[in-house]
Amino acid sequence: MGVDKKDINTVLHLESPSTAESYLQESGRIARDGSIGKAILLWNYADHKKFSTYPKHSREYKMLLFAESTTCRRQVLLDALGAEEAVCSGCDVCERGGKAPFAYDLDLALSFITKNRKMYGYSQTQALLESEFNKKDLALFGLRIWDQEDIQAILSELKSRRLIKKCRWPWKGRLTCEKFMNCVNTAEKMPLDKKKERPVTEAHLKIRRSFMFNRRKLVNKIIGKIKA
């Protein structure tokens, strides 16, 4: 980075460094005056796919372990460097007491689509989400911070992670949650359609029973004609 200033307290990694060592080098530019520094890494599903392709013992794969760790991130970096175990001085996992939560913007968008499954198409969902996201910002700052490109990026992320999809007939083009049971917090236990990985309601079962009964009637009628 070539930065040697004492008053830098935050480093924001818009793109992930290639290795854990690179991350440490870039993050080491902060808090040179002895103050508390903060290093922020923006990580998405595209990064996950990219770094998953590297061998598990490679330096690049260690970056994946660091970014998606559910335990102390500092220790992941120390292990990558072959250093001894040490007390954490403030990674987000240790401060929070658990793994990182689901991103707020993705969670809000996914909750909206889950509650309104098979009701809106892509453009309608995008417009409604933009309005929903800006409600809070308008109340706080009097500004519309979120725009169409932001919402498109969120929907693209959800689609790439296979959390949402477009429906086929009779709800063609409308958005729904890819795996409904994984998208909503519910204590109800419902049987799953193993072929399509979706909850099977009583209505679904009635339709299936009716379909099977009508199919048997049709088969019996055909057999009766053949025998006749």
Side-chain angles (χ1 to χ4, degrees):
M1 290 173 61
V3 178
D4 188 14
K5 296 179 68 176
K6 292 183 178 180
D7 59 348
I8 296 177
N9 297 319
T10 303
V11 169
L12 176 61
H13 301 270
L14 294 176
E15 295 183 3
S16 175
S18 56
T19 64
E21 290 89 343
S22 297
Y23 175 82
L24 279 171
Q25 185 180 17
E26 294 174 15
S27 301
R29 307 292 176 178
I30 58 177
R32 293 194 169 187
D33 57 355
S35 61
I36 297 176
K38 182 178 288 188
I40 302 171
L41 170 66
L42 300 185
W43 184 266
N44 58 27
Y45 188 64
D47 294 319
H48 169 82
K49 291 199 295 184
K50 174 185 173 182
F51 284 88
S52 295
T53 59
Y54 293 105
K56 290 191 175 182
H57 297 291
S58 65
R59 294 190 302 170
E60 291 81 5
Y61 193 80
K62 297 289 175 63
M63 196 62 216
L64 171 70
L65 296 178
F66 168 76
E68 300 185 0
S69 177
T70 57
T71 57
C72 179
R73 295 191 202 276
R74 175 182 171 84
Q75 192 56 50
V76 175
L77 291 175
L78 291 173
D79 292 341
L81 298 173
E84 296 181 0
E85 187 174 346
V87 177
C88 182
S89 59
C91 78
D92 65 302
V93 176
C94 292
E95 285 184 347
R96 192 186 301 107
K99 65 180 182 179
F102 199 65
Y104 165 77
D105 50 0
L106 289 184
D107 190 38
L108 184 61
L110 188 58
S111 297
F112 177 85
I113 294 169
T114 302
K115 290 175 184 176
N116 300 282
R117 290 187 308 144
K118 302 176 182 178
M119 289 185 65
Y120 304 114
Y122 190 92
S123 58
Q124 289 176 304
T125 301
Q126 183 177 311
L128 289 167
L129 280 175
E130 186 180 345
S131 174
E132 192 70 25
F133 273 61
N134 280 309
K135 274 183 183 178
K136 189 175 181 180
D137 296 324
L138 280 168
L140 288 173
F141 313 112
L143 296 172
R144 293 176 62 85
I145 296 175
W146 300 85
D147 57 25
Q148 286 188 358
E149 289 185 2
D150 297 325
I151 306 303
Q152 284 176 358
I154 292 170
L155 293 177
S156 296
E157 181 74 11
L158 288 172
K159 188 177 179 182
S160 65
R161 294 174 69 167
R162 297 184 180 179
L163 291 173
I164 62 171
K165 67 176 181 180
K166 286 186 179 181
C167 297
R168 297 181 180 178
W169 187 89
W171 300 283
K172 189 175 181 181
R174 298 180 184 181
L175 293 180
T176 186
C177 187
E178 179 76 21
K179 295 184 179 179
F180 182 62
M181 292 297 288
N182 294 332
C183 295
V184 291
N185 296 320
T186 176
E188 297 180 10
K189 291 185 178 180
M190 302 172 68
L192 284 177
D193 181 337
K194 292 183 178 179
K195 290 183 179 179
K196 297 185 178 179
E197 291 292 325
R198 67 182 182 186
V200 180
T201 63
E202 187 61 31
H204 287 137
L205 294 174
K206 285 180 180 178
I207 291 170
R208 286 186 186 179
R209 292 188 192 112
S210 175
F211 175 74
M212 292 299 293
F213 177 74
N214 290 331
R215 191 164 65 176
R216 288 195 195 99
K217 284 177 64 178
L218 179 62
V219 170
N220 290 334
K221 192 177 288 187
I222 292 171
I223 292 173
K225 286 184 177 180
I226 292 172
K227 286 183 178 180

